[in-house]
Amino acid sequence: MFTAIIFDLDGVITDTARYHYLAWKRLAEGLGVPFDEAFNEQLKGVDRMGSLDLILRRGGLDPDAAERARLADQKNDDYRQLVATMTRADLLPGALRALEAARGAGLKVGLASVSKNAGTILERLGITGYFDYVVDANLITRGKPDPEIFLTAAERLGVAPKACIGVEDAAVGVQAIKSAGMVAIGVGDPTILALADRVVPTLFDFDLAAALRDLAV
Ligand code: BG6
Ligand code: MG
């Protein structure tokens, strides 16, 4: 029986994945590093410095720590400008319904995002109150695909991992959920999220009651 559901944020609840993409693309192309949607898939769910490293490696670049920090700040400034005007209207279709269904079913609701901007985004969307616990980059030492972020969320919610459903749009995120011993709902492309127990195109297509009934072990 499931007693908690733990959501990723970017690309699941709101389309900030698009804004991360735009900000990284601008930075990468400014450095002469080619950047497209396929390469961007590798960055989804990866933290800021990890993503920057992947871009630099792709371009065969190896700047010093100070320059890396400057580049990461530049991307984050661009990203924050893109998200500054977000409102509740920027929730992805079905996101609010999924949060309300989870609360209505009496589940604990957690957030597992490696984004240092997660708290700000929840505030902008006006949905902070839906979450019993938020785990972001400040609370973990290892990023996805390591299970630490989902295990920390389960622990803080006071729920055993096997009683949790995790929801993710990134391949590394689905890997993290499965390594944590949880059931994984993938949001997006089933070929990319092949390890998930179930894949839906968006949360609009997610039926929580059916998942609670069909996926329990
Ligand atoms: C993840 C996104 O949620 O957060 C990544 O999928 C992003 O694309 C990462 O790089 C870190 O976000 P931030 O806001 O701390 O730069
Ligand atoms: Mg995501």
Side-chain angles (χ1 to χ4, degrees):
M1 206 180 109
F2 297 110
T3 50
I5 185 162
I6 302 168
F7 292 92
D8 171 49
L9 175 65
D10 297 319
V12 169
I13 287 180
T14 183
D15 203 8
T16 35
R18 183 81 201 146
Y19 297 141
H20 281 297
Y21 165 80
L22 290 171
W24 281 130
K25 184 173 169 69
R26 183 166 173 199
L27 185 91
E29 291 181 348
L31 293 167
V33 180
F35 197 92
D36 57 19
E37 299 269 1
F39 177 63
N40 184 60
E41 277 306 318
Q42 295 176 40
L43 308 187
K44 283 188 185 171
V46 177
D47 70 12
R48 198 179 305 161
M49 294 313 283
S51 297
L52 177 63
D53 277 348
L54 289 171
I55 291 168
L56 294 172
R57 207 175 308 151
R58 182 172 167 96
L61 304 170
D62 189 17
D64 63 19
E67 177 63 0
R68 277 172 198 259
R70 194 191 66 74
L71 292 169
D73 284 350
Q74 187 180 321
K75 182 269 175 178
N76 194 46
D77 289 346
D78 273 357
Y79 175 73
R80 288 185 68 92
Q81 262 184 37
L82 290 167
V83 300
T85 54
M86 286 177 84
T87 66
R88 190 170 271 219
D90 293 291
L91 283 165
L92 279 168
L96 197 58
R97 191 186 62 185
L99 289 169
E100 279 171 353
R103 297 220 68 102
L107 300 181
K108 296 253 194 230
V109 181
L111 190 91
S113 171
V114 299
S115 171
K116 292 189 169 138
N117 292 297
T120 311
I121 304 285
L122 292 183
E123 288 293 327
R124 288 228 60 89
L125 296 170
I127 56 167
T128 309
Y130 282 94
F131 294 90
D132 296 299
Y133 206 88
V134 172
V135 182
D136 66 14
N138 302 305
L139 283 177
I140 52 155
T141 53
R142 296 180 300 279
K144 301 164 186 178
D146 191 284
E148 182 185 11
I149 192 162
F150 283 96
L151 291 173
T152 303
E155 189 195 317
R156 302 288 173 112
L157 292 170
V159 171
K162 66 176 183 341
C164 296
I165 297 176
V167 190
E168 261 289 351
D169 70 315
V172 288
V174 168
Q175 254 177 283
I177 295 170
K178 292 313 297 173
S179 304
M182 302 177 182
V183 161
I185 305 289
V187 178
D189 181 341
T191 56
I192 293 170
L193 306 173
L195 289 179
D197 297 285
R198 179 158 300 177
V199 179
V200 289
T202 73
L203 279 184
F204 188 72
D205 311 283
F206 177 54
D207 181 343
L208 178 66
L212 293 176
R213 193 183 57 230
D214 302 341
L215 295 172
V217 278

